[in-house]
Amino acid sequence: MTGNSTPHAGYFTDRLDATDPEVADALKGELRRQQDGIELIASENIVSIATLDALASPIVNKTVEGYPGRRYYDGAEFADRIEDLAVERAKQLFGCGYANVQPHSGSQANLAVFLATVEPGDTVLSMDLAAGGHLSHGAKANLTGKWFDIFHYGVRDDDGFLDYDTMASLAREHRPKLIIAGGSAYPREINFACFRTVADDVGALFLADMAHFAGLVAGGAHPSPFPHAHVATATTYKNLRGVRGGIVLTDEKVLAKKINSAVFPGIQGSVILNAVAAKAVCFGEALKPEFKEYAARVLTNARALAAALMKRQVRIVTGGTDTPLMLVDLRRHGITGKAAAESLKSAALTVNKNAVPGDTEPPTVTSGLRFGVSAGTTRGFGANEFTEIGYLIADVIDGLAADPHDNAKTERRVRAKVRALCRDFPIYPNLG
Ligand SMILES: *Cc1c(COP(=O)(O)O)cnc(C)c1O
């Protein structure tokens, strides 16, 4: 055949394996890494094959800007159908009147709320990053920290619980326009009603960022920020078990309109439509009865892991958890978060180092670890497995405390047990 003007023979038919072994090999390596290790990073989860199907659809080719029924480009009928599905499901899932499903990430969702609710120079009150807050809540290095006047509350030194008294007195003193609750390393239930009372007292709007526990809220295993929050944000890829991305939710019509304008054209351009399709799949999955079970199991598992660690004399900040995550304080063991995370990685347990309240080590070292059970629970682990995992983690920590320079023997022994657990609870058996 002559006149073949496709970019190259096989462009529409050859799979990645054949066309680009370098990228394909790295992707296969990542799949094996996930299959053979236990993922304890609290920000991670394991999406369904249905989610991967949605992500790999040719809808990636479609460009749309704006919102369903009001796009700036034609040919958007299926894009509209997909975004409408995602929005309707998100509203149903979280019991609120309005949802924006376009934010490319949780940070974008939060930035959109800033743009919709405050002006540069306005005062904002949020949790300190060092106490478990998030960069996008006004950390110095973040745009929100540079353009807004940020004040931080934290956690109490003695017990690690959120310091509501300081939060309320800072609010009265500085009269913020926006008060933010939520963080990436705070393990306990947040008193949303208290935040709302304080916000009302000082005339502030209240944003609840539920990035780390949105799945529990969706599954009824954690109180909802609504009706207390004026606006809530979440990531869809952590405990909610979907694609990487963010959402903004509200029950207030005027605010919803401002948020839509803030997301587009305020901070984003065209929509990542395969991500929105995968968000619709994620919300559809979370609306099923099985997801309620998942949420309940996440909480049971988190508490089982914390209990196992405490039984082995590992200190858990606040003495437990109400969320998928927990924070370990290693100062008693005389080892750093960095050293412990590296040793655990050698044992095929993936975790992240994390500052603990009152930490004097730099953020690149830290005195703590953060564990999350969302991914392991998706894999099928129950309380028994998480108890065993807790003991394995304690073995590694004890080994490292005994000899900070050589923990290889314990790492090898634990790695063999981890591999066995992974074989018993396989993921993606038909991939790779
Ligand atoms: C993870 C997280 C985010 C968003 O993170 P992205 O990496 O931008 O998706 C926002 N807020 C909190 C509290 C988080 O934990």
Side-chain angles (χ1 to χ4, degrees), residues 105-108 110 134 136-137 182-184 209 211-212 235 237-238 245:
S105 72
S107 297
Q108 296 288 92
N110 286 333
H134 190 261
S136 62
H137 296 181
S184 27
D209 179 347
H212 272 282
T235 53
Y237 61 91
K238 293 174 182 167

